[in-house]
Amino acid sequence: MAALAPLLAALLVAAAAASAQAEPAGAPDQCTPDVLSRIAFGAGVGSYQTEGSAQGRAPTIWDTFSAASPSKIADGSNAKVAADFVRRYKGDVQLMRQLKMKHFRFSISWARLLPGAKSGSAPDAAAAAYYSSLIDELLAAGIQPLVVLYQWDLPQSLQDDYDGFLSPKIVPDFVHFADTAFRLFGDRVKTWLTFIEPAVFCNQQYGSGIWAPGVANGEAGRFACGKHVLLAHAAAAAAYNSKYRAAQNGALSFSTLVTWAEPASGSEEDAAAAQNKLDADVGWFLDPIFKGDYPASLRAAKGDALPPFTPSEAASLRGSLDFVAANCFTARFVSAGDAGKPGAWRESKVSPVNGSAVGAASGLAWLDVAPWGQGRALAYLQMRYGDPQLFISSSGVMAPGENKLQGAAALKDAFRTDYYRSYLNEVCRAARGGARVIGWSAWSFMDAWEWTEGFNTKFGIVHVDYSSPSLERAPKASALWLAANVFSRGAPAVAHAA
Ligand SMILES: *[C@@H]1O[C@H](CO)[C@@H](O)[C@H](O)[C@H]1NC(C)=O
């Protein structure tokens, strides 16, 4: 890091000069200074994907899964070392400071903070000291710590004891984890996300089983998981409200993946089909919070497979989000599915009507570049959920072929810069139009271990050379562009409504 600092400073000066000269390289048109100044911009990454130091925590479901089935990880790798963040965080925080990031969104490893995992278990002193020090380093560097509690790394013991999120027993254990984090860190942490993309992890961890812990319980599995995630979130929010909110004055949400569903034609059937997809992906989690129950189309489609809420459970969910956190990456065209089948839809990346694509291909099959879809998604959230404060909690991409690049070539990510310019333009357009956008996080701060993709998927604005023993970090061109045009011009911290 010491050697990197002067180089980085020189690069930042050069990037600022370049952006001052060449207008197209500068901030997106819609991102005028007053709009930028309302939004806190930063970047994030998950604990399991970066921390390493696996010996310093209890095992998680991903340790078990990657050891038992390396063939299910694209490159056969594991995250025992990952980016070695636990030992290198001080240098990384200095890099964040030089990039002028205003927040860093990271998750806390449940298995590290609470090796016993369960309600009543004591925090590990070294883990508590580590997270506390990370938070202090960030604050000293002028960077807001934005903390996620669960990004997919369940302690293995909870899976072994009662099948993790398939059981209501997860609720008090999660509340203990959340309460411990609020108690230890809430004096300094003001923005919390209890969960990242519940629909995604419930589908993949307990529905299809393609992710750890590999439980393929189909609809019953994913909907049981979903219900317990919602109840765990609500109970954690209730603990925050009763014990911490008055003194700590923070805000809570969970992040929701919003893949925009564009009707494939002007027909009523296609409009209804697109709404069915939004209900199934987004309404599954946000409607119970804002409207008191699952969307009607999801109820009609799933019947008894969707476990209902008792009146007191429903009451606990109402109003348990202080803001809406949305992860927006791409869009789909949607047309009517099987006639007569309630809640059905068909989706594609290419319009069945005129053959045009939602956007250009990226380095990821599921992620085509569709900034227009993000714009519509933000307008939808604003309208459907009563104009909440909005936080874009993940935005990012991998360039085609980026994972094959090495050395200086790996830092030239003009594709990512273009992606960010077009997506940020839509965020700023929404904010100019009155959407209450308070924050935006790039996904991800650094190249990391991306679950079943291993190290084959690169989302980072900072490159990590996983072939070098020192796991050398270097900012990509996109990081320098964000620093000069976005990070440095935004609000100093996320401003939550009182
Ligand atoms: C093609 O159709 C889609 C809907 O299926 C529409 O959103 C898009 O604007 C159309 N593109 C062109 C070039 O007409």
Side-chain angles (χ1 to χ4, degrees), residues 40-341:
F41 296 95
V45 77
S47 59
Y48 191 79
Q49 305 175 266
T50 49
E51 282 184 347
S53 295
Q55 73 288 350
R57 55 165 171 73
T60 77
I61 53 174
W62 283 97
D63 298 318
T64 310
F65 187 80
S66 57
S69 328
S71 64
K72 293 184 180 171
I73 312 297
D75 57 2
S77 65
N78 62 58
K80 282 180 197 156
V81 177
D84 200 20
F85 186 79
V86 166
R87 299 195 311 149
R88 298 173 190 272
Y89 68 97
K90 290 188 180 175
D92 287 330
V93 170
Q94 289 315 306
L95 181 51
M96 295 173 200
R97 184 180 62 76
Q98 286 167 317
L99 292 172
K100 302 189 164 51
M101 283 166 48
K102 294 301 185 289
H103 64 254
F104 176 52
R105 121 153 152 62
F106 63 96
S107 63
I108 290 178
S109 163
W110 188 343
R112 191 182 301 280
L113 185 63
L114 293 172
K118 289 191 175 174
S119 180
S121 64
D124 177 75
Y130 158 66
Y131 288 113
S132 195
S133 170
L134 169 58
I135 289 164
D136 288 343
E137 288 285 318
L138 288 166
L139 289 170
I143 299 166
Q144 184 187 5
L146 205 154
V147 174
V148 172
L149 293 174
Y150 185 74
Q151 185 149 10
W152 313 345
D153 51 350
L154 186 74
Q156 180 65 41
S157 59
L158 302 185
Q159 185 60 33
D160 293 342
D161 285 3
Y162 52 71
D163 297 325
F165 283 97
L166 293 181
S167 166
K169 291 181 181 169
I170 196 77
V171 175
D173 290 345
F174 181 79
V175 172
H176 176 64
F177 171 40
D179 189 286
T180 303
F182 299 150
R183 177 168 59 80
L184 294 176
F185 312 123
D187 56 337
R188 290 156 288 163
V189 175
K190 302 302 164 194
T191 305
W192 298 92
L193 295 174
T194 51
F195 292 97
I196 297 294
E197 296 180 355
V200 174
F201 81 74
C202 285
N203 287 347
Q204 320 229 99
Q205 298 193 320
Y206 296 99
S208 67
I210 62 172
W211 280 3
V215 176
N217 276 11
E219 300 270 80
R222 69 194 193 92
F223 289 132
C225 171
K227 178 174 177 180
H228 299 138
V229 165
L230 281 165
L231 295 180
H233 165 81
Y240 190 78
N241 290 343
S242 64
K243 294 170 70 176
Y244 301 103
R245 188 181 288 272
Q248 298 184 353
N249 197 26
L252 268 72
S253 188
F254 53 72
S255 84
T256 301
L257 178 68
V258 185
T259 299
W260 178 245
E262 179 70 12
S265 78
S267 77
E268 266 178 46
E269 290 77 9
D270 287 352
Q275 185 62 50
N276 288 344
K277 175 174 164 60
L278 289 168
D279 287 347
D281 292 355
V282 177
W284 175 13
F285 287 91
L286 289 184
D287 276 26
I289 306 273
F290 286 94
K291 297 175 180 292
D293 199 0
Y294 299 114
S297 76
L298 192 61
R299 280 211 161 289
K302 303 302 174 185
D304 293 342
L306 198 60
F309 300 110
T310 66
S312 73
E313 287 171 346
S316 78
L317 294 169
R318 289 301 289 258
S320 63
L321 292 181
D322 293 306
F323 60 101
V324 167
N327 292 357
C328 297
F329 293 92
T330 191
R332 294 287 184 269
F333 291 121
V334 177
S335 53
D338 304 338
K341 208 172 156 209

Side-chain angles (χ1 to χ4, degrees), residues 313-441:
E313 287 171 346
S316 78
L317 294 169
R318 289 301 289 258
S320 63
L321 292 181
D322 293 306
F323 60 101
V324 167
N327 292 357
C328 297
F329 293 92
T330 191
R332 294 287 184 269
F333 291 121
V334 177
S335 53
D338 304 338
K341 208 172 156 209
W345 75 87
R346 237 184 290 242
E347 65 178 72
S348 63
K349 301 198 296 178
V350 172
S351 165
V353 174
N354 58 29
S356 70
V358 293
S362 74
L364 298 160
W366 59 271
L367 203 174
D368 290 352
V369 182
W372 60 273
Q374 182 197 232
R376 289 181 195 196
L378 295 177
Y380 174 81
L381 294 171
Q382 203 187 346
M383 204 166 65
R384 186 169 179 96
Y385 298 114
D387 197 19
Q389 287 197 320
L390 293 169
F391 186 99
I392 292 87
S393 40
S394 285
S395 182
V397 75
M398 176 168 82
E402 182 178 355
N403 51 3
K404 305 285 186 290
L405 302 177
Q406 279 163 8
L411 307 183
K412 292 183 185 156
D413 62 342
F415 186 92
R416 180 173 286 107
T417 303
D418 288 345
Y419 182 97
Y420 280 138
R421 186 186 293 109
S422 65
Y423 276 64
L424 280 163
N425 204 41
E426 296 303 323
V427 171
C428 292
R429 193 194 308 280
R432 286 166 76 108
R436 300 164 68 209
V437 182
I438 52 173
W440 179 94
S441 276

